[in-house]
Amino acid sequence: MKKYLAWCFTVLLAILCLGGCGREEEEIQSKKLHRADAPVYDEKYITVGFIQTGKESDWRDANTNDYLNTFTEDKGYKLVYIDGNSDSGRQVKAAYDLIYQNVDYIIIDPIVEDGWEDVLEFAKQKEIPVIIADRGVSADQSLYKCWIGSDFKTEGVKAAKWLQDYLEENGRKDEDINIVVLEGTEGASAAIGRTEGLLSEIAKHKNWHVLASRNANFTQGEGRDVMEHILWQYKDIDVVISENDNMMFGAMKAMEQAGIEYGAGGGIITISFDALGEAFHMMEEGKLMVSVECNPLIAGIAEKVIKDLEKGREVGKVQYVKESVFTYKNAAQHIGNRKY
Ligand code: GYE
């Protein structure tokens, strides 16, 4: 009898263990591979999925290169780079794919703020940490580890404050000032914040008037097209504020074509954002009068976050990058030591 009981106990234990191990195995599988074609990443690397917005600007290229140079195999990373192709739906789908592939971390530069809740919820369920970088998302902060990027509203305020100082210095404080704004992609936090900052300051000046504020999608081509239309419509423009350098380069082409003067030498006052290489040349030439810096070097901070998370440390929820303001007066002095 004793022998029989011992036998029964052993069998029961084996069944329980098998059931338990099976469930565990199932769980691992469901976490690992939801699709037959999902790649299996080498465990010796930390696999980082990076979903970029696209290739809309020089800023974006600098930002992409920064990720490619930071998350390298010799430092122990496998970077899965995905080009969002300026399509927010494609970005969300890519996030699902990365979750199914069970990468270790996901970094997203979201094109627009909205539409991320479900996929972030899913990543959280699957315990894949997500870092939001550059532009933000409207989803609840509990759905991602942290956000790293620029204070876009402050950038907008800085641009308007520069204009105020410039007009004062040039005895134009009380003149009526007609402003044109070229906005970045609709729904993108870089555009939302900059517009908000600009408008909050513009509203403080009764003699400043916004003639037109139009979306040109952060691209040079659209900057040129939109500016062409604006120039047909309005003759008395004092200031063009472009929410990035590339749209301003396009707008400059449109002004040149229309024979309209702009820049430090006289004519339309030119203000933009980013302050990347080409903008410095334009400022040196006096074509661009000011560029509010937007720092694209975010990957190093993202890497630090990942290192901290690997060690089980807490990370700051909101992390701003450092940035400054450059003008046609000081560009020459800084151009030599610019990293982007
Ligand atoms: O200013 C612009 C770009 O999100 C900060 O996006 C970024 C903006 C940048 O394409 O040039």
Side-chain angles (χ1 to χ4, degrees):
M1 185 66 184
K2 257 191 190 163
K3 259 191 188 169
Y4 176 71
L5 278 180
W7 182 82
C8 280
F9 182 70
T10 315
V11 169
L12 191 67
L13 209 72
I15 291 171
L16 281 176
C17 176
L18 270 180
C21 296
R23 260 198 306 281
E24 210 170 279
E25 181 58 22
E26 238 171 58
E27 220 168 83
I28 291 168
Q29 286 312 322
S30 83
K31 247 182 148 185
K32 273 208 149 141
L33 297 176
H34 274 244
R35 290 166 18 153
D37 59 351
V40 179
Y41 293 109
D42 193 335
E43 289 291 316
K44 79 171 191 240
Y45 294 112
I46 295 177
T47 304
V48 179
F50 171 51
I51 307 174
Q52 183 55 286
T53 61
K55 297 190 181 73
E56 75 280 1
S57 67
D58 295 347
W59 188 98
R60 193 58 58 193
D61 294 346
N63 180 252
T64 299
N65 288 332
D66 187 35
Y67 280 95
L68 298 179
N69 295 331
T70 301
F71 291 100
T72 55
E73 288 188 9
D74 59 323
K75 282 164 82 185
Y77 301 104
K78 176 72 81 195
L79 185 74
V80 185
Y81 167 77
I82 294 161
D83 183 345
N85 232 348
S86 300
D87 176 345
S88 51
R90 181 183 159 113
Q91 279 198 309
V92 173
K93 192 186 160 297
Y96 277 108
D97 285 347
L98 290 171
I99 298 167
Y100 290 136
Q101 290 169 22
N102 198 29
V103 297
D104 298 309
Y105 295 91
I106 299 176
I107 305 175
I108 306 171
D109 277 25
I111 297 169
V112 291
E113 290 186 348
D114 294 343
W116 291 98
E117 281 82 2
D118 292 350
V119 75
L120 290 178
E121 188 84 59
F122 187 45
K124 196 174 179 187
Q125 245 176 53
K126 294 287 170 189
E127 294 171 15
I128 298 180
V130 176
I131 298 167
I132 307 291
D134 163 28
R135 303 176 188 170
V137 292
S138 54
D140 195 85
Q141 284 195 344
S142 64
L143 297 179
Y144 52 90
K145 282 289 167 193
C146 67
W147 169 82
I148 310 163
S150 307
D151 185 342
F152 298 120
K153 185 172 177 196
T154 299
E155 289 178 354
V157 169
K158 284 180 190 171
K161 290 234 189 274
W162 178 86
L163 178 62
Q164 178 184 319
D165 292 346
Y166 177 82
L167 293 171
E168 256 175 50
E169 280 164 25
N170 288 277
R172 298 177 63 184
K173 189 170 157 285
D174 300 319
E175 250 179 51
D176 275 321
I177 299 294
N178 291 332
I179 301 171
V180 158
V181 180
L182 299 178
E183 294 172 23
T185 306
E186 198 182 336
S189 58
I192 295 170
R194 286 171 188 165
T195 306
E196 215 178 293
L198 286 169
L199 294 183
S200 68
E201 289 304 301
I202 290 172
K204 294 179 186 165
H205 300 267
K206 288 206 175 72
N207 54 329
W208 291 15
H209 316 286
V210 178
L211 291 183
S213 187
R214 307 246 170 99
N215 177 10
N217 251 326
F218 283 127
T219 69
Q220 201 151 322
E222 287 184 63
R224 183 178 183 156
D225 292 349
V226 172
M227 193 65 201
E228 258 172 31
H229 281 97
I230 291 175
L231 291 173
W232 286 333
Q233 256 183 299
Y234 302 98
K235 295 293 157 227
D236 193 13
I237 301 169
D238 297 295
V239 184
V240 175
I241 305 178
S242 166
E243 288 182 359
N244 81 346
D245 290 332
N246 287 89
M247 293 189 292
M248 180 59 91
F249 302 154
M252 285 170 173
K253 288 269 175 308
M255 290 189 275
E256 280 159 26
Q257 211 171 23
I260 291 169
E261 284 192 6
Y262 62 88
I268 295 180
I269 296 168
T270 45
I271 300 173
S272 69
F273 297 83
D274 283 354
L276 263 72
E278 183 60 12
F280 272 81
H281 292 124
M282 295 289 192
M283 284 190 278
E284 268 194 308
E285 285 179 38
K287 289 184 167 184
L288 179 58
M289 297 177 72
V290 60
S291 189
V292 177
E293 185 184 29
C294 182
N295 186 347
L297 305 185
I298 296 174
I301 306 173
E303 186 192 12
K304 164 101 178 46
V305 165
I306 289 176
K307 281 184 172 161
D308 283 347
L309 293 174
E310 285 288 298
K311 288 181 186 139
R313 293 185 186 146
E314 284 296 309
V315 295
K317 202 61 164 186
V318 173
Q319 304 192 26
Y320 289 113
V321 287
K322 289 205 184 94
E323 22 204 39
S324 169
V325 178
F326 298 98
T327 72
Y328 69 99
K329 286 186 179 166
N330 67 20
Q333 164 192 332
H334 293 282
I335 198 163
N337 43 35
R338 299 296 296 156
K339 290 206 189 84
Y340 44 83

mmCIF file of all heavy atoms in Angstrom, residues 248-266:
data_model
loop_
_atom_site.group_PDB
_atom_site.id
_atom_site.type_symbol
_atom_site.label_atom_id
_atom_site.label_comp_id
_atom_site.label_asym_id
_atom_site.label_seq_id
_atom_site.Cartn_x
_atom_site.Cartn_y
_atom_site.Cartn_z
ATOM 1 N N MET A 248 12.018 76.938 -44.058
ATOM 2 C CA MET A 248 12.527 78.289 -44.316
ATOM 3 C C MET A 248 13.392 78.311 -45.579
ATOM 4 O O MET A 248 13.284 79.239 -46.383
ATOM 5 C CB MET A 248 13.334 78.793 -43.110
ATOM 6 C CG MET A 248 13.906 80.184 -43.301
ATOM 7 S SD MET A 248 12.634 81.443 -43.615
ATOM 8 C CE MET A 248 12.288 81.983 -41.943
ATOM 9 N N PHE A 249 14.211 77.266 -45.774
ATOM 10 C CA PHE A 249 15.032 77.231 -46.996
ATOM 11 C C PHE A 249 14.111 77.240 -48.232
ATOM 12 O O PHE A 249 14.402 77.893 -49.225
ATOM 13 C CB PHE A 249 15.932 75.989 -47.044
ATOM 14 C CG PHE A 249 16.881 75.852 -45.875
ATOM 15 C CD1 PHE A 249 17.350 74.598 -45.481
ATOM 16 C CD2 PHE A 249 17.310 76.977 -45.168
ATOM 17 C CE1 PHE A 249 18.222 74.475 -44.405
ATOM 18 C CE2 PHE A 249 18.181 76.858 -44.086
ATOM 19 C CZ PHE A 249 18.632 75.600 -43.701
ATOM 20 N N GLY A 250 13.018 76.495 -48.145
ATOM 21 C CA GLY A 250 12.048 76.485 -49.248
ATOM 22 C C GLY A 250 11.417 77.863 -49.424
ATOM 23 O O GLY A 250 11.286 78.369 -50.543
ATOM 24 N N ALA A 251 11.051 78.481 -48.307
ATOM 25 C CA ALA A 251 10.418 79.812 -48.356
ATOM 26 C C ALA A 251 11.377 80.837 -48.959
ATOM 27 O O ALA A 251 10.968 81.737 -49.707
ATOM 28 C CB ALA A 251 10.005 80.237 -46.953
ATOM 29 N N MET A 252 12.679 80.684 -48.663
ATOM 30 C CA MET A 252 13.683 81.612 -49.216
ATOM 31 C C MET A 252 13.684 81.515 -50.743
ATOM 32 O O MET A 252 13.762 82.531 -51.437
ATOM 33 C CB MET A 252 15.071 81.267 -48.679
ATOM 34 C CG MET A 252 15.283 81.696 -47.243
ATOM 35 S SD MET A 252 16.830 80.993 -46.627
ATOM 36 C CE MET A 252 16.957 81.797 -45.043
ATOM 37 N N LYS A 253 13.591 80.286 -51.232
ATOM 38 C CA LYS A 253 13.563 80.086 -52.697
ATOM 39 C C LYS A 253 12.360 80.815 -53.283
ATOM 40 O O LYS A 253 12.455 81.485 -54.326
ATOM 41 C CB LYS A 253 13.465 78.591 -53.041
ATOM 42 C CG LYS A 253 14.733 77.799 -52.789
ATOM 43 C CD LYS A 253 15.608 77.782 -54.056
ATOM 44 C CE LYS A 253 16.945 77.126 -53.887
ATOM 45 N NZ LYS A 253 17.781 77.573 -52.767
ATOM 46 N N ALA A 254 11.207 80.679 -52.615
ATOM 47 C CA ALA A 254 9.981 81.327 -53.107
ATOM 48 C C ALA A 254 10.146 82.846 -53.100
ATOM 49 O O ALA A 254 9.735 83.535 -54.044
ATOM 50 C CB ALA A 254 8.790 80.912 -52.246
ATOM 51 N N MET A 255 10.784 83.367 -52.060
ATOM 52 C CA MET A 255 10.954 84.835 -51.979
ATOM 53 C C MET A 255 11.912 85.307 -53.064
ATOM 54 O O MET A 255 11.682 86.335 -53.700
ATOM 55 C CB MET A 255 11.454 85.231 -50.580
ATOM 56 C CG MET A 255 10.396 85.030 -49.509
ATOM 57 S SD MET A 255 10.829 85.725 -47.890
ATOM 58 C CE MET A 255 11.799 84.428 -47.163
ATOM 59 N N GLU A 256 12.999 84.508 -53.268
ATOM 60 C CA GLU A 256 13.967 84.886 -54.315
ATOM 61 C C GLU A 256 13.288 84.916 -55.679
ATOM 62 O O GLU A 256 13.464 85.839 -56.466
ATOM 63 C CB GLU A 256 15.147 83.901 -54.328
ATOM 64 C CG GLU A 256 16.154 84.212 -53.233
ATOM 65 C CD GLU A 256 17.043 83.020 -52.879
ATOM 66 O OE1 GLU A 256 17.256 82.135 -53.743
ATOM 67 O OE2 GLU A 256 17.505 82.972 -51.727
ATOM 68 N N GLN A 257 12.489 83.859 -55.927
ATOM 69 C CA GLN A 257 11.799 83.766 -57.210
ATOM 70 C C GLN A 257 10.854 84.953 -57.429
ATOM 71 O O GLN A 257 10.712 85.449 -58.539
ATOM 72 C CB GLN A 257 11.001 82.477 -57.240
ATOM 73 C CG GLN A 257 10.885 81.901 -58.621
ATOM 74 C CD GLN A 257 10.278 80.519 -58.556
ATOM 75 O OE1 GLN A 257 9.574 80.171 -57.601
ATOM 76 N NE2 GLN A 257 10.525 79.725 -59.571
ATOM 77 N N ALA A 258 10.249 85.406 -56.330
ATOM 78 C CA ALA A 258 9.302 86.525 -56.445
ATOM 79 C C ALA A 258 10.020 87.875 -56.376
ATOM 80 O O ALA A 258 9.377 88.933 -56.399
ATOM 81 C CB ALA A 258 8.271 86.418 -55.313
ATOM 82 N N GLY A 259 11.347 87.834 -56.241
ATOM 83 C CA GLY A 259 12.120 89.086 -56.196
ATOM 84 C C GLY A 259 11.917 89.855 -54.901
ATOM 85 O O GLY A 259 11.993 91.092 -54.892
ATOM 86 N N ILE A 260 11.642 89.139 -53.836
ATOM 87 C CA ILE A 260 11.394 89.811 -52.553
ATOM 88 C C ILE A 260 12.628 89.709 -51.659
ATOM 89 O O ILE A 260 13.189 88.628 -51.491
ATOM 90 C CB ILE A 260 10.154 89.179 -51.870
ATOM 91 C CG1 ILE A 260 8.915 89.554 -52.687
ATOM 92 C CG2 ILE A 260 10.014 89.623 -50.419
ATOM 93 C CD1 ILE A 260 7.685 88.820 -52.310
ATOM 94 N N GLU A 261 13.023 90.806 -51.097
ATOM 95 C CA GLU A 261 14.221 90.819 -50.234
ATOM 96 C C GLU A 261 13.900 90.286 -48.854
ATOM 97 O O GLU A 261 12.806 90.501 -48.325
ATOM 98 C CB GLU A 261 14.734 92.252 -50.101
ATOM 99 C CG GLU A 261 15.462 92.709 -51.325
ATOM 100 C CD GLU A 261 16.207 94.022 -51.078
ATOM 101 O OE1 GLU A 261 16.240 94.504 -49.933
ATOM 102 O OE2 GLU A 261 16.724 94.551 -52.072
ATOM 103 N N TYR A 262 14.890 89.618 -48.289
ATOM 104 C CA TYR A 262 14.710 89.099 -46.928
ATOM 105 C C TYR A 262 16.067 89.030 -46.233
ATOM 106 O O TYR A 262 17.115 89.078 -46.885
ATOM 107 C CB TYR A 262 14.061 87.700 -46.953
ATOM 108 C CG TYR A 262 14.891 86.655 -47.659
ATOM 109 C CD1 TYR A 262 15.856 85.923 -46.965
ATOM 110 C CD2 TYR A 262 14.729 86.399 -49.013
ATOM 111 C CE1 TYR A 262 16.631 84.961 -47.604
ATOM 112 C CE2 TYR A 262 15.510 85.452 -49.661
ATOM 113 C CZ TYR A 262 16.452 84.737 -48.953
ATOM 114 O OH TYR A 262 17.225 83.798 -49.590
ATOM 115 N N GLY A 263 16.031 88.920 -44.900
ATOM 116 C CA GLY A 263 17.269 88.718 -44.148
ATOM 117 C C GLY A 263 17.819 89.970 -43.491
ATOM 118 O O GLY A 263 17.172 91.023 -43.494
ATOM 119 N N ALA A 264 19.034 89.806 -42.941
ATOM 120 C CA ALA A 264 19.635 90.872 -42.132
ATOM 121 C C ALA A 264 19.923 92.150 -42.922
ATOM 122 O O ALA A 264 19.974 93.245 -42.354
ATOM 123 C CB ALA A 264 20.925 90.358 -41.506
ATOM 124 N N GLY A 265 20.071 92.008 -44.261
ATOM 125 C CA GLY A 265 20.384 93.176 -45.094
ATOM 126 C C GLY A 265 19.170 94.074 -45.310
ATOM 127 O O GLY A 265 19.293 95.180 -45.838
ATOM 128 N N GLY A 266 17.997 93.624 -44.920
ATOM 129 C CA GLY A 266 16.763 94.406 -45.143
ATOM 130 C C GLY A 266 15.695 93.531 -45.759
ATOM 131 O O GLY A 266 15.989 92.472 -46.303
#
